[in-house]
Amino acid sequence: MIMACRRQIPEAGEKVKELSGSESIEMRYLDLSKINIIHDFVDKLQKDNINPDVTILNAASAAPRSRKTESGQDELFLVNYFSNFILVNLLLKRELIHPDTEKQPRIIFISSDSHRGSSAIDYNEFGRYFTYGVSKAISNYSYFKLVLNTFATELSRRINKDKTNVQVNAICPGPVNSNIIRETPFLIRIALRAIFSIIFRSPKKAAQPVIYMACSNDFLNRTNEYMHMFIPKRMDKKVYDESEGARLWQESLKLWKKLDKNAIEPVFNQ
Ligand SMILES: NC(=O)c1ccc[n+]([C@@H]2O[C@H](COP(=O)([O-])OP(=O)(O)OC[C@H]3O[C@@H](n4cnc5c(N)ncnc54)[C@H](OP(=O)(O)O)[C@@H]3O)[C@@H](O)[C@H]2O)c1
């Protein structure tokens, strides 16, 4: 197992080794707010001949305000959506994730049911940086989950035209007592921590449906599925709009080529 993280290397991996009793755990540096680091990460996987069976895209920022990244986009846009587009397309292009009906590699996007409240994708704002505060940050968090789910659906449509070659699924772990509120103002954070610890699920419990989606044979030949915890559900109907999916792909690719001299032509560009 490779834990791709930006911090706590190697401490977090050592802890997982200790808790799991497995030595087959390695940590690698990946900061999804830095496009060059995503390239470095994929280069190193290729150099080491690593073909992930299951790729779980878990990271998300819950920044309480806009924050400009080195490449000029907002952090929420880059970390919560766009880095996923870049990373997955690089992994497919380098054949590290190779479409295969026998082995069926899995790509799992950790999403949120909050995507349902979001309005349609706004291409005037797409990838553009502007400043905003806490209320827009909260709505953007849900909005980028809508964008992420639309991408997951489009990716599955492109890879799995008439059979499942790669299982591309998304899941909401439900309300989790995680560290997601770390940047909330102090007094609100104290109140939320108390509520989270009573009402929200532990990370251990929240991980169970993700592990099920990652490992179970129940998912063979199943793609573009969505679960809210263990409950299979349809995503918001906007997510399944084919013209929206195609437009999101084209706009993402256009932006990638504009920002990044090492952008590639995706394998599944049709
Ligand atoms: N908590 C909930 O109630 C809830 C509900 C629905 C869905 N989710 C989803 O569950 C997933 C995990 O969230 P969580 O609740 O566990 O929150 P969390 O404790 O804040 O975890 C978010 C993870 O993303 C990582 N991350 C953030 N920015 C990154 C970057 N630039 N590069 C690499 N990694 C980065 C963080 O790394 P650092 O430790 O380095 O900051 C952290 O490990 C997210 O996709 C979230 O949207 C959570």
Side-chain angles (χ1 to χ4, degrees), residues 6-7 31-32 58-60 111 141 145 174 176 178-179 182:
R6 63 176 173 169
R7 290 190 305 120
D31 185 336
L32 292 164
N58 172 66
S111 188
Y141 174 84
K145 293 299 188 187
V176 191
S178 67
N179 210 8
R182 78 192 79 165

Side-chain angles (χ1 to χ4, degrees), residues 176 201-209 211:
V176 191
R201 292 142 47 90
S202 67
K204 188 174 175 182
K205 200 161 181 202
Q208 287 168 3
I211 294 167

Side-chain angles (χ1 to χ4, degrees), residues 87-100:
L87 178 58
V88 166
N89 272 306
L90 286 174
L91 291 171
L92 288 163
K93 183 77 172 189
R94 304 282 183 85
E95 299 188 342
L96 302 178
I97 298 178
H98 193 269
D100 182 335

Side-chain angles (χ1 to χ4, degrees), residues 26-211:
E26 190 192 327
M27 289 197 82
R28 292 190 177 205
Y29 176 62
L30 178 61
D31 185 336
L32 292 164
S33 69
K34 295 181 176 141
I35 295 175
N36 60 324
I37 300 292
I38 303 176
H39 279 287
D40 292 349
F41 173 74
V42 175
D43 289 349
K44 190 145 192 309
L45 285 186
Q46 185 171 33
K47 191 167 148 277
D48 297 341
N49 272 322
I50 290 169
N51 300 88
D53 304 305
V54 183
T55 305
I56 301 178
L57 294 115
N58 172 66
S61 164
R65 69 192 79 82
S66 54
R67 253 191 324 236
K68 206 180 214 168
T69 59
E70 282 171 7
S71 49
Q73 293 70 52
D74 184 49
E75 183 182 304
L76 255 84
F77 172 81
L78 190 48
V79 174
N80 296 18
Y81 165 60
F82 198 53
S83 60
N84 292 258
F85 179 84
I86 296 176
L87 178 58
V88 166
N89 272 306
L90 286 174
L91 291 171
L92 288 163
K93 183 77 172 189
R94 304 282 183 85
E95 299 188 342
L96 302 178
I97 298 178
H98 193 269
D100 182 335
T101 32
E102 297 298 310
K103 285 195 193 140
Q104 287 186 10
R106 302 178 190 208
I107 300 174
I108 298 176
F109 294 97
I110 307 299
S111 188
S112 166
D113 231 32
S114 68
H115 79 277
R116 294 183 195 286
S118 288
S119 52
I121 301 173
D122 181 346
Y123 292 101
N124 292 321
E125 286 189 1
F126 194 75
R128 275 188 29 220
Y129 181 77
F130 51 91
T131 51
Y132 58 80
V134 70
S135 120
K136 175 85 174 165
I138 293 169
S139 64
N140 265 358
Y141 174 84
S142 308
Y143 170 72
F144 286 119
K145 293 299 188 187
L146 175 83
V147 180
L148 186 68
N149 291 357
T150 308
F151 166 57
T153 300
E154 181 63 15
L155 182 70
S156 178
R157 206 178 272 134
R158 285 170 186 246
I159 306 181
N160 303 308
K161 285 205 159 63
D162 42 24
K163 54 188 179 321
T164 303
N165 298 305
V166 178
Q167 298 169 27
V168 183
N169 295 314
I171 185 166
C172 170
V176 191
N177 183 16
S178 67
N179 210 8
I180 202 158
I181 50 169
R182 78 192 79 165
E183 291 194 70
T184 317
F186 180 69
L187 288 176
I188 303 174
R189 191 163 71 239
I190 300 291
L192 284 177
R193 278 253 176 270
I195 299 169
F196 270 42
S197 62
I198 297 165
I199 301 173
F200 282 24
R201 292 142 47 90
S202 67
K204 188 174 175 182
K205 200 161 181 202
Q208 287 168 3
V210 181
I211 294 167

Side-chain angles (χ1 to χ4, degrees), residues 222-239:
R222 285 169 64 190
T223 187
N224 196 209
E225 303 258 346
Y226 174 75
M227 289 202 313
H228 179 223
M229 298 177 279
F230 276 108
I231 306 162
K233 277 190 184 174
R234 294 275 295 167
M235 293 178 264
D236 186 286
K237 71 176 188 322
K238 291 193 281 301
V239 168

